[in-house]
Amino acid sequence: MSFDRYVAICQPLHYAAIMKQQLCSHLVSAGWVLGFTLSSYHLVLLSKLTFCGPNKIQHFFCDNSPLFKLSCSDTSLLWKIDFVFLSFVVLGSLCLILVSYMGIFHCILHMPAASGRKKAFATCSSHLTNLAIAYGTCIVLYARPSEEVSLETNTIVALLNTV
């Protein structure tokens, strides 16, 4: 998505030549393959848990923190692996997006017309707002070891992320 915005703002006359259907298909396919690969690894970690107590999760969806707290297994290693794994995914994708937006801002600041700069900033502002909400909540939920954080806090932040 950010690459698309980068090309649209920084190279508008070349947009049709760069953003061909084949490139879009490759970008979407790469996202799906990476998502399924990382999700599969995550499911393998979760399948190793044993549960011996109540089977009700006080959460909006079946997230890691409630499952880890519900498990009878020793989850200390899983918390650490989950932290590293999800930090890589969340912070890695955020860094790629921020690099793209740095290029966009560089192009915007070098535009000769003020009206062009205003229009370009307006185009990006809603996306940046959504990024701030989505990545902010993801960082609070996943990019930190949350063994000591209460489920109530996780539930409230997850609700904000979901909405």
Side-chain angles (χ1 to χ4, degrees):
M1 180 74 101
S2 293
F3 179 72
D4 174 63
R5 291 179 195 282
Y6 172 79
V7 173
I9 291 173
C10 297
Q11 300 177 345
L13 299 177
H14 300 287
Y15 183 83
I18 295 172
M19 293 301 295
K20 293 185 178 183
Q21 186 173 357
Q22 183 179 9
L23 176 61
C24 291
S25 297
H26 284 126
L27 290 172
V28 169
S29 298
W32 278 96
V33 167
L34 186 62
F36 277 120
T37 304
L38 296 176
S39 296
S40 298
Y41 172 75
H42 207 238
L43 288 174
V44 168
L45 285 177
L46 293 177
S47 70
K48 304 288 184 193
L49 296 176
T50 57
F51 301 96
C52 54
N55 61 355
K56 291 188 179 181
I57 297 176
Q58 299 298 322
H59 211 277
F60 292 107
F61 53 90
C62 192
D63 201 16
N64 296 342
S65 297
L67 279 176
F68 288 172
K69 290 184 187 260
L70 194 62
S71 174
C72 302
S73 309
D74 177 23
T75 58
S76 58
L77 181 62
L78 285 176
W79 279 106
K80 291 172 186 159
I81 291 171
D82 200 51
F83 166 69
V84 170
F85 178 71
L86 290 170
S87 294
F88 170 74
V89 171
V90 172
L91 298 177
S93 63
L94 179 61
C95 286
L96 289 174
I97 291 170
L98 291 178
V99 166
S100 175
Y101 267 100
M102 287 184 343
I104 289 171
F105 288 140
H106 178 75
C107 289
I108 290 173
L109 293 175
H110 286 88
M111 288 181 174
S115 63
R117 284 192 298 271
K118 184 177 179 181
K119 186 176 179 182
F121 274 125
T123 301
C124 296
S125 64
S126 64
H127 188 239
L128 287 172
T129 302
N130 287 334
L131 281 174
I133 293 170
Y135 276 94
T137 56
C138 281
I139 288 169
V140 168
L141 283 173
Y142 302 117
R144 56 164 175 61
S146 57
E147 218 168 333
E148 296 83 27
V149 175
S150 71
L151 283 179
E152 292 80 23
T153 303
N154 267 0
T155 303
I156 292 167
V157 176
L159 177 62
L160 177 62
N161 189 7
T162 304
V163 171

